[in-house]
Every structure is written in C-alpha cells, then in structure tokens.
C-alpha cells in the first residue's frame, strides 16, 4: 500500500500544471517540442512561406537527404524550389 501511494504521488508531481509558471520560467509541453521555424516571435511549421525584402523563404529541413534535420528558413529560387545548404564534409568509416 505504501508503494502505491508513493507511485501515485510521484506521478502527480510529474504532471505539469497548465498555465503555472514561476518567474521567467515557462511550461514545456510536447507541442512546443515539434520542429518549427521562428519569424518575428511567431512559430511556423514546415512548408510555411514568408516574404521578406522581395524574397520568398520557405520553412523546410536543412539538408536534402536528411528530412529529420532541423528546420530553417530557405530562400526559394525562381522556380519555387528551396536552395538547400550543401554538406561541406563527408565522414568515412573504415
């Protein structure tokens, strides 16, 4: 019985209280862990397009061959394709 009570109390303490923050801290929820691009303090998901200084940018993954890489703002070329970052080095395992 004592072990069940301890498990119950421990579980209750792990559940964050929604809307409760202390000082400058904020609560971290699973929805905040998804990969997003930021622009002017707003979150944008993958595929979002913004216009800045007559240029279009798309929120997309960084490398062409790594769809799980971090999202970032990429310039769009004249055909509407993102200009991706080229990988500089290669790692070889022998």
């Amino acid at each position: 019985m004592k072990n069940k009570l301890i498990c119950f109390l421990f579980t209750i303490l792990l559940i964050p209280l929604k809307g409760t923050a202390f000082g400058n801290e904020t609560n971290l929820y699973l929805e905040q862990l998804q990969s997003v691009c930021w622009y002017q303090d707003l979150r944008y998901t993958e595929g979002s397009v913004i216009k800045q200084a007559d240029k279009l940018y798309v929120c997309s993954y960084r490398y062409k061959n790594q769809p799980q890489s971090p999202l970032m703002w990429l310039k769009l070329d004249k055909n509407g394709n993102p200009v991706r970052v080229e990988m500089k080095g290669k790692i070889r395992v022998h």
Side-chain angles (χ1 to χ4, degrees):
M1 185 69 167
K2 185 177 180 182
N3 290 339
K4 288 181 182 179
L5 180 63
I6 290 173
C7 288
F8 175 74
L9 291 175
F10 185 71
T11 304
I12 294 297
L13 292 176
L14 289 178
I15 299 172
L17 300 174
K18 189 167 188 164
T20 304
F22 303 99
N24 292 331
E25 298 177 24
T26 58
N27 290 326
L28 184 63
Y29 292 97
L30 187 58
E31 64 195 26
Q32 294 172 332
L33 295 177
Q34 72 183 8
S35 194
V36 294
C37 294
W38 288 90
Y39 179 68
Q40 294 184 345
D41 292 331
L42 297 174
R43 296 185 312 173
Y44 293 86
T45 57
E46 183 179 359
S48 300
V49 178
I50 60 170
K51 185 175 184 179
Q52 183 182 22
D54 297 331
K55 294 184 182 179
L56 292 176
Y57 294 86
V58 64
C59 178
S60 184
Y61 50 91
R62 185 176 199 147
Y63 302 112
K64 184 176 183 178
N65 63 345
Q66 296 178 0
Q68 298 301 323
S69 62
L71 294 180
M72 64 181 295
W73 291 109
L74 300 173
K75 287 183 190 178
L76 292 176
D77 63 9
K78 293 179 183 179
N79 298 327
N81 298 318
V83 179
R84 300 206 183 276
V85 177
E86 294 294 325
M87 295 182 76
K88 295 191 179 198
K90 295 181 181 178
I91 299 174
R92 297 179 188 215
V93 179
H94 297 279

